[in-house]
Amino acid sequence: LQGPQATPLAMLEVNPKLAYTWPDITENNLNAVTLRLSKVLTEDKILGGNVYWRQLNSTNTSSNLNDQFGGTSGAACNPLLPPDQQCPASNDQSVIDTNGLGGALQFTLLTPLASHKNSLSMGASYDYGSTSFKQSAQDAVFDSTRQTLGVTPYALATDVNSTTAYTGFYFTDTFAFTEQLFLTLAGRYNIATIEIIDELGNKPGVDGTNTYQRFNPAVGLNYNPNKAINAYISYNEGMRAPTAVELTCADPSAPCPLPNAFLSDPPLQAVIAKTIELGGRGMLSPNTTWSAAVYHANVYNDIQFVSASASGAVGFFTNVPQTRRQGIELGVQQRLGPVNLQAAYAYVDATYQSSFSIQSPDNSTANAAGDIQVQPGDHIPGIPRNNFKLRVDWQVTPKVSIGGTLVYSSSQFAQGDNNNQDQNGPVPGYTVFNIDGRYQITDQLQVFGRINNLFDKTYQTAGVLGADFFTGPNFAYSSPGVPTQFRSPGAPFGIWVGVRYDFGRPVKVSGPSQSN
C-alpha cells in the first residue's frame, strides 16, 4: 500500500491524487496453513476440530510532521536544538513480525432430551500470538513535492515484544419444544492474557502482563410456523480485550505517533457488548426471498482513538463509558427468469451514551485547551448511518453472465468531530457503480473481468480533523498549521481481468459406461 493518507480539503479540490506528505508505504506478507477435521463417531456423536498457523511480516515507512517546528521547510536541521528549531519533518520505519498458532476441538451430541430433539455442542479453543515490534526514526526536511528527505541516520527508538494468549471454553444447546419452536442456550468463558516486554530496557514501565476474563452468555428463540417463515429473537454478550498497541498508548499526557511508539501507560478495561436482536427470513414465492432484523447493542468501555496533536498524527486510546449501536437490516432477492435482483439496506445509529471531554485541538468548537465536550446522543465518527446495495445478475447464456452493483453510503462524521459540531461538517456520502462479467469456458475454467467505479466518481470514504501545514504557494510548507478536515479519497476507475481454474469440480467424461 502506497500513500494511505488522508488529504486536506484544499488539496482535494485541486487534485484528489495529490499526496499530503510522502513516502508512506506499507508492505504485508502473510503465510498461513489451516487444517480442519471432523469424525462421525456414531449417528448421534460428532467430533470436529481445526488447527492453524499464521506468519505475518509488516513493514512500514511513514513521513511525519514536527508539530512544534516554527521555521521554514528548507531550514538546516540540528537535532541538538529545541523541538521548535529542529526539523520540520521526520521519517519512521517500523517492522512487525507476528507468529500465531491455535486450534479448537468440539464435541456434538444429538441425543434427544425428554423425548424432544436436542443438539448439544461443547468445545474449547486456544489462540497464541507472538509479535516483535521495532520502530526507528530520523529527522527530515520537505522538498517541493512534500517528500520527506532524511538528514540524519535512522535511530532505533522502540523494540518491544508482546505475546497474546486467548483461551475459551464454550457450549451451545438447541432444544426443540415442537417441530416449529426451538430454544438455544449458549455460553463462552474467555481468558485473555497480553504480556509486553521492552527489549531496549529504557521504558521499564512498558513491561507488564494484563489478564482479562469473563463468561459471556447467549440465549435465542426460533419460531418456524412453516417452511417459508423463520422468526427469531436473541440476546448475547461479548468481550474484547485491548490489544498491545492500545494498552501501550493510553496516556493523554504522552500521546503516541502512528505507527505506535510504545509507552508506559495506564491499563485499559475490556470492551463489553450486550446485544438484543429480533428478526426473520422467509419466502414470499418460489422466486422471492426476504430477510429483516432490528438490533440494539450497548457497548461498555468502548475503546476510541483520540487525536492529540495539530497534525492529527499522534494521539492515544481511551475507554469511553458507554456507546450504543442500533439499527435495522433489510434484504430481498427476486428471480425473473435469467435475471436475479438483490437489494440490501442497513441503518446504523451509532451514538455515545455518556458525557466526557476529549482532546480535539483542530475542532472549530474546541476550547483554549483543545478540548471538546461530547454529549449523549452525539454520533460516533466514521460510521455512516445509511448503506444500500443493489445487485443485478443476468445469465445471458449458459456460459456467459454479466452483473452490476450500485453501492450507496451516506455521510459520516470525521474523526475528531466527536461532538458533531465542527464547522467543516460531515464527510459527504457517495454512490458508486461497478460492473462485472464471466465466461465459463469449461466446467473448471472461467475468464472473468470487473470494472470498479464505472463513472470514475470522485468521492471520499473517511475523514479526520487535523492541521494543514502546506498552505503556501503550490502547497509549500507553512507554519503554523491551519485547522481543516482531511479526507481519504475513494478508489478511482479500475479494471481487473483474470482467469480462474477450479480443481475441485469433476471432469465430465463421455460414454454410457463411464461416470463422473
Side-chain angles (χ1 to χ4, degrees):
L1 301 174
Q2 298 199 39
Q5 280 192 352
T7 308
L9 292 178
M11 285 188 183
L12 287 174
E13 293 173 355
V14 174
N15 184 354
K17 297 181 180 180
L18 289 176
Y20 183 58
T21 64
W22 66 285
D24 284 280
I25 303 171
T26 300
E27 181 177 345
N28 298 313
N29 292 283
L30 172 69
N31 298 300
V33 177
T34 301
L35 176 66
R36 298 183 181 92
L37 295 172
S38 63
K39 174 67 175 178
V40 178
L41 304 176
T42 64
E43 288 186 353
D44 61 350
K45 297 180 179 66
I46 303 172
L47 185 66
N50 69 79
V51 293
Y52 71 89
W53 170 82
R54 290 166 57 93
Q55 181 188 49
L56 173 66
N57 173 264
S58 180
T59 60
N60 173 269
T61 299
S62 60
S63 54
N64 297 307
L65 283 154
N66 177 2
D67 295 334
Q68 297 180 321
F69 182 73
T72 61
S73 62
C77 290
N78 186 344
L80 300 179
L81 295 176
D84 61 347
Q85 302 175 38
Q86 289 180 5
C87 298
S90 65
N91 287 323
D92 288 332
Q93 286 188 342
S94 62
V95 179
I96 302 174
D97 285 303
T98 298
N99 285 279
L101 55 88
L105 187 66
Q106 177 175 296
F107 175 73
T108 300
L109 182 65
L110 304 177
T111 303
L113 179 63
S115 300
H116 290 262
K117 291 182 180 180
N118 191 76
S119 174
L120 172 65
S121 293
M122 299 175 291
S125 65
Y126 179 76
D127 301 275
Y128 175 85
S130 175
T131 298
S132 169
F133 177 90
K134 293 180 172 65
Q135 188 176 63
S136 302
Q138 68 173 179
D139 293 304
V141 295
F142 293 107
D143 68 8
S144 60
T145 66
R146 297 171 304 284
Q147 179 184 12
T148 50
L149 305 175
V151 296
T152 60
Y154 276 100
L156 183 64
T158 302
D159 187 355
V160 170
N161 284 333
S162 67
T163 59
T164 58
Y166 294 88
T167 304
F169 304 93
Y170 65 90
F171 75 91
T172 177
D173 185 88
T174 300
F175 179 79
F177 289 105
T178 68
E179 292 295 328
Q180 294 79 34
L181 185 62
F182 300 86
L183 174 66
T184 298
L185 297 174
R188 182 180 177 94
Y189 184 73
N190 286 331
I191 305 171
T193 302
I194 300 98
E195 183 180 9
I196 305 167
I197 301 173
D198 172 36
E199 298 293 341
L200 287 180
N202 56 6
K203 299 175 183 175
V206 168
D207 297 346
T209 300
N210 297 271
T211 300
Y212 304 86
Q213 50 190 337
R214 189 177 192 271
F215 177 76
N216 302 296
V219 59
L221 196 63
N222 281 71
Y223 179 58
N224 311 321
N226 54 60
K227 294 182 178 180
I229 298 178
N230 168 242
Y232 65 89
I233 184 171
S234 66
Y235 172 82
N236 67 80
E237 297 183 8
M239 179 192 81
R240 180 179 82 81
T243 66
V245 170
E246 292 169 337
L247 285 169
T248 55
C249 187
D251 189 350
S253 63
C256 307
L258 297 176
N260 176 67
F262 284 68
L263 300 172
S264 172
D265 292 327
L268 294 171
Q269 300 182 61
V271 182
I272 306 298
K274 300 181 179 181
T275 304
I276 185 169
E277 182 175 353
L278 174 66
R281 60 184 70 90
M283 297 177 58
L284 298 178
S285 72
N287 293 322
T288 308
T289 60
W290 62 273
S291 64
V294 57
Y295 63 90
H296 177 96
N298 284 326
V299 182
Y300 303 90
N301 302 320
D302 202 355
I303 296 177
Q304 301 270 308
F305 181 78
V306 178
S307 175
S309 73
S311 65
V314 301
F316 59 94
F317 294 95
T318 186
N319 282 120
V320 174
Q322 184 178 347
T323 63
R324 176 177 296 163
R325 291 157 180 82
Q326 59 186 3
I328 60 174
E329 296 177 348
L330 304 173
V332 63
Q333 180 171 327
Q334 176 69 54
R335 177 164 291 279
L336 302 170
V339 177
N340 189 52
L341 302 174
Q342 299 179 68
Y345 170 74
Y347 172 78
V348 183
D349 183 37
T351 57
Y352 296 104
Q353 293 299 305
S354 51
S355 300
F356 56 94
S357 177
I358 62 170
Q359 273 274 302
S360 185
D362 297 303
N363 189 308
S364 60
T365 63
N367 61 22
D371 295 331
I372 61 172
Q373 186 67 32
V374 179
Q375 302 290 346
D378 288 338
H379 289 273
I380 300 174
I383 303 178
R385 270 183 271 186
N386 297 280
N387 289 278
F388 177 73
K389 185 175 182 179
L390 176 65
R391 170 75 183 171
V392 180
D393 280 293
W394 178 27
Q395 192 71 43
V396 183
T397 72
K399 292 182 175 293
V400 178
S401 62
I402 59 176
T405 305
L406 177 152
V407 178
Y408 166 75
S409 180
S410 65
S411 62
Q412 59 181 284
F413 290 100
Q415 298 292 335
D417 190 12
N418 305 68
N419 61 352
N420 307 162
Q421 296 180 23
D422 180 69
Q423 63 183 5
N424 292 290
V427 179
Y430 61 88
T431 302
V432 176
F433 293 87
N434 309 316
I435 61 173
D436 56 84
R438 294 157 297 282
Y439 175 57
Q440 199 73 41
I441 300 175
T442 69
D443 285 347
Q444 294 172 285
L445 182 62
Q446 180 190 93
V447 177
F448 65 90
R450 72 176 187 268
I451 299 176
N452 285 355
N453 197 354
L454 178 63
F455 302 111
D456 199 22
K457 180 179 178 62
T458 298
Y459 66 100
Q460 295 86 40
T461 59
V464 60
L465 299 183
D468 184 3
F469 282 81
F470 296 96
T471 57
N474 297 319
F475 302 114
Y477 180 88
S478 178
S479 183
V482 178
T484 187
Q485 186 184 96
F486 289 62
R487 296 178 184 172
S488 298
F493 177 90
I495 299 178
W496 285 261
V497 177
V499 177
R500 179 180 295 112
Y501 188 84
D502 189 346
F503 293 90
R505 293 191 179 185
V507 179
K508 291 184 177 180
V509 181
S510 61
S513 62
Q514 295 176 313
S515 61
N516 293 342

